[in-house]
Amino acid sequence: MEGYSKDQEASQPAYPPQSGYAPQPGYGQPPSDQAYPPAGYGYSNQPAQPPPNYGQTIPASASYGQTAGVHVTTVTQASPPNYLGLALFVTFCCFWPTGICAIVKATEVNNALNRGDHAGAQAASDSARKLSYISIGCGIASIVISVVFIIIYYVVVAASISSSY
């Protein structure tokens, strides 16, 4: 600040204190009772050394007074199939209303697996398979019904044509 002496600058308050908050200390020199860390604290020019026994295996019988080894069995469950390919096929080729529901259930399988919900993934997988099979059944039924109607139509038309002559 120009025009002020150092004594006047030190006596000027920086900001008025805020109501409800304790005043904050300034950024001046640290209190004399607080010491800095000794020299050499923190980073040094020496390379880092690995901890002792790094990379060595310690037998279970030698650690913590145990006399027998510990056998750990990890059980991994196979993730259920999501049937997304089947759901897409039946949506485009067989019966789209239940095919869309099968696609939704098939995507729920992956979402449940990402959450770690294996039971929910299995339930969604079963629903996707069931809805896909229902779509296949509806598609086959609609083809059969269409063929029957076409046969009946041509039989009736052929009969009406032959009777009119």
Side-chain angles (χ1 to χ4, degrees):
M1 297 167 91
E2 289 184 321
Y4 289 104
S5 69
K6 297 227 183 245
D7 295 333
Q8 289 175 336
E9 286 182 20
S11 66
Q12 296 282 334
Y15 290 103
Q18 299 289 323
S19 62
Y21 295 102
Q24 299 293 317
Y27 291 104
Q29 293 293 326
S32 61
D33 60 337
Q34 186 178 15
Y36 287 106
Y41 178 78
Y43 297 108
S44 66
N45 292 334
Q46 298 176 352
Q49 299 294 325
N53 298 332
Y54 181 74
Q56 298 176 359
T57 57
I58 300 173
S61 62
S63 64
Y64 304 111
Q66 293 178 351
T67 58
V70 178
H71 182 70
V72 178
T73 304
T74 324
V75 178
T76 57
Q77 295 177 345
S79 60
N82 60 8
Y83 297 106
L84 185 59
L86 179 62
L88 290 171
F89 172 75
V90 299
T91 300
F92 293 120
C93 297
C94 294
F95 190 64
W96 65 267
T98 55
I100 291 174
C101 296
I103 290 173
V104 170
K105 288 296 184 180
T107 56
E108 284 181 13
V109 173
N110 292 339
N111 293 338
L113 285 174
N114 290 339
R115 288 190 312 263
D117 182 14
H118 190 76
Q122 186 65 47
S125 175
D126 293 341
S127 296
R129 184 183 66 225
K130 182 176 21 171
L131 288 168
S132 296
Y133 289 163
I134 288 172
S135 292
I136 290 172
C138 290
I140 291 172
S142 65
I143 290 172
V144 168
I145 290 171
S146 298
V147 168
V148 168
F149 278 141
I150 289 172
I151 291 172
I152 291 173
Y153 175 75
Y154 282 120
V155 168
V156 170
V157 169
S160 66
I161 290 176
S162 66
S163 65
S164 65
Y165 287 114

